[in-house]
Amino acid sequence: MRFIVAAALVLIVAVGCESKSKQEEQDLLAVSTPLPLDPTDVPELTEWWTNGTQLLQLSESGVYRLYPGINRYHMPMERGQWTRRNYAALWIEPYAELPRQPARVSIRRVGDELHLDVRNLQPMSSLSGPPEVLEDRLIGNWTGDVGSLRLSADLRYSFSRQGPRRSGPASLGREEGSWQVQDDFLILQPDSRGLRPTFVRVHEADDEMFLETQDGRLVPAPVFFDGS
């Protein structure tokens, strides 16, 4: 009789421990598993997404751009069309693939954040805007004794020089072309054939920025308000 009672107590304790272990396992799983999307509450998708390594743009026009880094001024590694067919996924179709092969991109909710699963890349989370890079701080007007330089967001520039760019009268006057940034250098590539690019060093220190050309310094042009 004592043996039967002891065995029953052991069995009860074992079942209780097993139930507790299963409950703890279920609680842990509930915390770590992303919540599914509610089909009645379709979330809005922002334009910019990143995983810290790559950058994705979903434009309102239906064009997407996938960048190898977080700099949107660099060449995308992939470009194409995107469409959203349901609340839990969107589809991307690269232009470079013929015939174009649509790829499914899952939309998941992890806590209060939305995540996109793009192929085998790390999950991407939404951004309120694109990451700021050096190009953003260079866009605008620059002035100095050497002339005035305008850098546009489309990576075009115009440079009105007040002094010789190089020896010879052909280097005087207004110059237009394309610009890009490599490391700490601004590279101005003229449209005119025969003119070599100009390398301009970018200096940033103590909230001050200026451009150092071989002929002199350029600083941000002052902005005047007309009060209207």
Side-chain angles (χ1 to χ4, degrees):
M1 187 66 179
R2 291 179 179 176
F3 175 77
I4 295 175
V5 172
L9 289 174
V10 170
L11 180 61
I12 292 172
V13 171
V15 170
C17 291
E18 184 178 357
S19 300
K20 182 179 180 182
S21 177
K22 286 184 177 180
Q23 184 61 47
E24 290 176 349
E25 197 174 303
Q26 290 176 357
D27 292 343
L28 181 61
L29 187 64
V31 171
S32 60
T33 302
L35 296 175
L37 291 174
D38 182 355
T40 64
D41 181 21
V42 181
E44 292 286 338
L45 298 181
T46 60
E47 181 178 3
W48 297 97
W49 301 76
T50 189
N51 55 16
T53 303
Q54 291 87 20
L55 181 67
L56 174 67
Q57 180 188 17
L58 302 175
S59 68
E60 293 183 357
S61 64
V63 174
Y64 80 89
R65 296 174 181 85
L66 182 60
Y67 297 87
I70 61 170
N71 192 326
R72 71 189 185 281
Y73 295 101
H74 290 174
M75 183 71 68
M77 66 180 185
E78 188 176 300
R79 188 170 177 269
Q81 292 284 332
W82 73 277
T83 55
R84 185 172 184 179
R85 302 181 184 177
N86 57 55
Y87 73 98
L90 59 92
W91 294 80
I92 57 176
E93 301 179 41
Y95 289 145
E97 294 184 5
L98 293 175
R100 281 154 57 177
Q101 299 295 326
R104 187 179 190 273
V105 176
S106 299
I107 306 171
R108 299 183 293 117
R109 190 184 295 280
V110 180
D112 295 330
E113 291 187 349
L114 291 180
H115 283 192
L116 298 184
D117 295 320
V118 183
R119 297 197 180 93
N120 60 345
L121 303 180
Q122 290 296 315
M124 293 189 165
S125 56
S126 64
L127 298 171
S128 58
E132 184 181 281
V133 291
L134 179 56
E135 285 87 343
D136 293 311
R137 299 190 293 278
L138 290 175
I139 292 171
N141 297 318
W142 300 79
T143 187
D145 293 338
V146 296
S148 59
L149 172 67
R150 178 174 178 79
L151 301 175
S152 301
D154 60 359
L155 300 183
R156 297 286 300 169
Y157 79 88
S158 61
F159 197 174
S160 298
R161 299 178 183 273
Q162 296 178 359
R165 176 171 177 262
R166 299 182 182 90
S167 62
S171 62
L172 296 174
R174 182 181 175 86
E175 173 186 304
E176 294 185 347
S178 58
W179 66 276
Q180 62 176 307
V181 172
Q182 289 186 7
D183 298 324
D184 294 329
F185 283 93
L186 167 66
I187 304 175
L188 306 176
Q189 178 62 60
D191 291 334
S192 301
R193 293 183 178 181
L195 290 180
R196 293 175 298 175
T198 299
F199 290 80
V200 181
R201 182 178 287 278
V202 180
H203 293 268
E204 279 190 289
D206 301 327
D207 297 328
E208 180 184 12
M209 176 182 282
F210 64 89
L211 307 178
E212 191 70 48
T213 75
Q214 64 180 8
D215 300 316
R217 179 178 296 188
L218 292 165
V219 299
V223 179
F224 298 98
F225 297 96
D226 58 8
S228 59

